[in-house]
Amino acid sequence: MATKALVTKVWIDPGCIVCDACETTCPEVFEVQHDNETCIIRPEALDAEFNKPLTESIIEAAEECPVDVIKFDTVEVDAADVPAAPKPAAAPAAGAADASEPATAAAKASPEKPASKVAAPPKPKVVDPAIQALLAATTVRGGHAVINQGIQDLPDSIKHMSKLSPDKLPPDARHQKVLQKSSPKKDETSRRDFVVLGALTVGWGSVAAAGGVSTLAFARFMAPNVLEVEDPKVRCGSLAKYLAMAPGEVNEDYKPVKPSGFWIVREEERIAAVSIICTHLGCIPSWLPNDRKFKCPCHGSGFKPNGVNFEGPAPRPLERFKIYLDGDDVIVDRSKKFLAMGPNDTAKWNDPEASIPV
Amino acid sequence: MTTSIHSVFAAAESGISDTIKDTLNALSVPEYFVSITVVLLIIGLLTYRQWTRPMVAVTLSLLFIAFYVWSALDENFFKIITKPDNIPITMMIVFTALVTWVAFRQAAINDARLEKGEPLIESGADDKVLVWPDLVYTELIAMVLCTVVLVVWAIVLKAPLEPPANPTNIPNPSKAPWYFLGLQELLVYFDPWIAGVLLPSLIIVGLIALPFIDKNPRGNGYYTFKQRPFVISTFMFGWMIMWIVLIVLGTFLRGPNWNIFGPYETWDPHRPAALLNINISDVFWVITPDWLGFEWWKPGLPTKAALGGYMPAFLIREAPGIVLLSGYFFVLPVLLAKTIFRKIYHEIGFTRFCVFWLLMSWMFIVPIKMVLRWMFNLKYFVAVTEYFVNI
Ligand code: SF4
Ligand code: FES
C-alpha cells in the first residue's frame, strides 16, 4: 500500500532573513512580520490536522527558504487516507489570496476585516482578538510559543501556563494571559522609552556638535589667515627722506609691513614702491646692496634695483604699488598694483599713480 | 729631522687635498656635475657585470666611504652633511646604491645564466614563507629596529619649532625638504605650474601608465638587464639623474641666493654671480639681427598685432619658440618613429607610441632645458607671461 508523508508540525529555526518567500508560497502557515524582523508560524498551523492538507506547499516553502530555516516533521500515512482537502493551486499572489483561500480558513474569516487589508497578505483567520494580540506578543520558535516579556512578574500557575505552547492553554487562561501580555506595561515602556530617547539625544547631539564644530573649524581654515581689516595705505614719512637717496638705492624700512611689504626704490626720475613678493613662486627676495640686486633665496631669481627681472626663473618684474604724495608725506596704497608683463614691457609703470616724479 | 719630514708630509698632503677639493669644486658647476653623473651612469650600465661583482662592489663602497669621511673633514662639507635636515640624504645615497647594486647583481647573474642556458635564480625559488616564525620574526625585528632608530634619531637630532615667519629674516637659501629638492631644482628652470604641477603629475601618471605602454613580458618576475636594456636605461636615467642627482645637487651644491657652490666652498651670500637670462624671442628678434647686421632686419621685439589684430603681438614674438617646441613635441616623434624608434613603434602601435612620446618628451625636455640654461642662459622657449605660459 502506498504511503505518503504528511506534515504535522512546522517551525522556524533562528536565522530567518525575512525574505517573504515562505509567505508567498504558503500564506496559510507562514507570516512574515517585518516589524519584528522575523517570520512566524501562524497559530492555526500549530495544529497537525491543519497542516496535513498543506503538506505540499509547506515542503515547497521549506525548500525555497534561502537560508533553510524552515523545519518540519512528517508522518507516514496511507495514500488513501490523504484528506482530499483543497490546496492552493500554487503560491498565491498577495492580492489573489482571498480568492484562493482554503475553504477551512475561509469559513473562519472575520467579517470585520477592513477593506484596506485586501491587498495585504491574508491575516490569520482567528475569531478571538486576544489571540490576535498573542500573536504580537509571542514568537514561535522551535515549535513552542514563548511569551517574550514579563514572565517574572506572573503568578506561578500562569508562568507555568505561559511556558505551554498556545494550543495547549485552556481557553480562558489563554485569553487572560494574552490580554495581559499584549497590553503594554506603562512604566516600563515609558522608562525604556526615556532611556532610549536620552541615549539617542546624547548620541546624535554629540554627532551634531562634532559636525558643527568641525564645520566651523573648516570655515575658519578656509578663510584667509590675515587680519580682516588692514589699511592698504601706509604712510611712509616725508618725501625728503627719499629724495636724499641716490638713484638705484633701496629703502627697506617697509619690508616687514603686514600683509604685504614693499621697498621704496629711487630711480633716476622717480621713486616707486616695489612689492617684496617674488613673481616666480612668492618667496621674498633679499636686497643685496653690494651686487645692487634683489635675489630670491628659493630658486635664484634676480631683479635689478628697479625690480626688473634679469636672471633666474621669475617671468615678470616685481610688482609696484600705487604711491602718491599727501602734502609732504609719501603714501603707498597697496590696494592698487601696477604689473609689468616682462622686462621690456613696463609701460604700466609710467602711470602717474605708479611713481612720484622727482 | 722627523718633525721636518712630518711637516713636509703634512704640507704635501694638504696641498694634495686642496688640489682635489679645488678640482671637485670646479667640477660641481651643474653642467659638469650632471654630465659626469650621466657618464658614470652610462659606464655603470655598460659594465654592470663587472662592478656588481661582490669584491668590486665592496671596494667601490670602501672608496666611497673613504671619500665621504675625507670630505667630512672639510668644514663646509661637514656643515652640510650634519645639518639635521640633510641626514636622510646620506642615507638616501647609501640605500640607493644598495638597491641598485642588488638589482644589477641579480641581473648580471641571470644574464650570465641565460647565456649558458642555465635556469634563472628565480626559477628554483620557492616563494612560500611560513608566517610563523619566518615572517613574524622578520617583521618583529624590523619593527624593533625601526623604532630604535627613530627614537634615537628623534633624541639626537633636534627638530625645533622655529620663530614665526618673518619677511625681514628669511633663510637663505630657502630649501624644501630633502625629498623635494629635485622638484625645487626644476623650479629654477620652469614656470611653477610646469615644475610644480605638470611634471610631478606626469611622473605619477607615467609610472602608472608604464605597464600599459610596455607589454613586453620579458623581465617579468626575474631580474635581467640584457633583455631590456632600453627600458631599464631609460628608467635609470629618469630615476638616478632626474631625481637622485638633482636632490644631491640641491643639497650639496645650492647655496645662498640659490647660487651654485662647490661642496667644499664657503657659503658666502655676497659672492657675486651675475647671470643674464634670455628668452628664445630675445635670441631671435634681438641678438640674431644684431649679429647679422642686415639693413632690412632691425633688432627689436615685435609689439604690434598682425593679421588685422587676430594674431596678437605675443604670438609673433614667441613664434620662434613655438616653432621649436612644436618641432620637438610633434615632428621629432614622427621622425623617430620612422628611424630609431621604428621597431618600438611597430611593437606598440600608434596610441601607445603617442603616450610613450608624451612621457619621454617631458622627461627629456628637463635636461635639455637645464643644459640650455647653464650653457646659454636660456630662460624660456615660449614666454607668454600674460597667460602664465612660460615653457
Ligand atoms: S523563507 Fe525562510 S528566510 Fe524567508 S521569510 Fe521564510 S523563513 Fe524567513
Ligand atoms: S620664488 Fe623667487 S625664484 Fe622662485
Side-chain angles (χ1 to χ4, degrees), chain A residues 284 298 309-310 312-314 316, chain B residues 170 184 273 275 277 379-380 385:
Chain A
I284 294 171
C298 288
N309 54 324
F310 69 100
R316 309 182 272 122
Chain B
I170 40 175
Q184 188 173 6
L275 318 150
N277 292 160
K379 186 177 199 171
Y380 290 123
T385 312

Side-chain angles (χ1 to χ4, degrees), chain B residues 7 50 79 86 88 92 105 133 141 159 166 217 257 305 315 328 342 345 384:
Chain B
S7 58
Q50 281 77 44
K79 244 187 243 158
N86 290 346
M92 179 198 72
R105 173 71 187 150
I141 293 169
N166 172 3
N257 301 328
L315 270 188
Y328 174 72
R342 170 184 235 131
Y345 181 78
V384 189

